[in-house]
Amino acid sequence: MSQIAKLGYVDNKLGAPSNGQQTTRILFNTIEAPGTTSGLIFFKTFQGLTQGQTNLTQNKLDSMESMVIKTIWLAQYATNGALATFGGDVQQTISIIVGNQQVVKNLPIQFNQGSNGQAFDRLHENAGATTDTTTPQTSTFQRFMPCEIRLLTDIVVPPQVAFEVRIDSNSGVYGTGAVVCALSGYGKIFSAGMSF
């Protein structure tokens, strides 16, 4: 089933309108100064975050909006804004919870991190390479680049259903800067021009 058909099927089962504007969706959420911890929960707390730190005000989409998640993007920034190694190269897993269902369970993210990991981002020519003018760039590992995980299954976030992303680790070092989680994929948004 295509992502468009799956989204339409889920919306229809929930009684959601199917005449919204089709679009590419990116949802993102930031956790400031998480420090060293064994777990992070994204899309749970929005208080005090600016529009540059999140594009949601609650962990639900509006009543006429829905989304299919195709990619999970994770990044860690130092206090000076430079990219840092996500979680400090410790073993980490990611889980996605939609409603009361765990739709992605303990997916290991360390396979594309660190000196021994493989460059996962194959879309960009210099993915995983450090930027250095004196050394040739090689895409042998993804150390200071954001982690990008492409999902092979369509994860649907229906309208008005709570969702969150959890990172579990063995004392991940997330620093005093910020960590960001972004979900991207296909979605529908409310469009007054199409709805009225």
Side-chain angles (χ1 to χ4, degrees), residues 14 59-62 97-100 156-163:
L14 294 173
N59 67 339
K60 300 176 182 179
L61 297 176
D62 289 336
I97 292 88
V98 177
N100 59 358
V156 176
V157 179
Q160 292 294 297
V161 175
F163 67 94

Side-chain angles (χ1 to χ4, degrees), residues 6-184:
K6 185 170 185 177
L7 188 62
Y9 173 79
V10 171
D11 284 349
N12 185 38
K13 286 290 187 186
L14 294 173
S18 59
N19 58 347
Q21 173 67 43
Q22 298 176 1
T23 187
T24 299
R25 291 288 315 248
I26 298 175
L27 306 176
F28 62 93
N29 188 244
T30 303
I31 298 174
E32 292 284 334
T36 300
T37 183
S38 61
L40 300 170
I41 302 177
F42 291 96
F43 301 102
K44 184 174 181 177
T45 304
F46 299 90
Q47 186 174 1
L49 296 179
T50 65
Q51 287 203 355
Q53 296 169 317
T54 188
N55 59 349
L56 297 173
T57 57
Q58 60 180 349
N59 67 339
K60 300 176 182 179
L61 297 176
D62 289 336
S63 61
M64 295 185 68
E65 298 182 353
S66 53
M67 177 181 179
V68 172
I69 301 170
K70 297 300 287 181
T71 301
I72 305 165
W73 185 86
L74 301 164
Q76 179 174 333
Y77 294 94
T79 52
N80 65 0
L83 278 170
T85 305
F86 188 81
D89 283 339
V90 300
Q91 183 176 1
Q92 301 166 84
T93 60
I94 186 167
S95 299
I96 300 176
I97 292 88
V98 177
N100 59 358
Q101 300 288 324
Q102 191 167 13
V103 294
V104 173
K105 183 177 181 180
N106 298 332
L107 181 68
I109 61 172
Q110 75 275 6
F111 69 91
N112 69 336
Q113 283 189 289
S115 301
N116 298 320
Q118 297 299 310
F120 190 74
D121 184 355
R122 304 198 192 286
L123 292 177
H124 305 97
E125 181 180 349
N126 294 322
T130 55
T131 310
D132 188 339
T133 56
T134 60
T135 312
Q137 295 184 343
T138 56
S139 298
T140 56
F141 60 88
Q142 184 165 317
R143 185 167 175 80
F144 294 112
M145 298 291 283
C147 301
E148 180 184 17
I149 302 169
R150 295 187 192 163
L151 300 174
L152 299 177
T153 56
D154 297 328
I155 306 299
V156 176
V157 179
Q160 292 294 297
V161 175
F163 67 94
E164 62 186 38
V165 176
R166 294 180 186 167
I167 305 291
D168 293 310
S169 66
N170 185 9
S171 297
V173 182
Y174 300 103
T176 57
V179 287
V180 180
C181 175
L183 307 173
S184 63

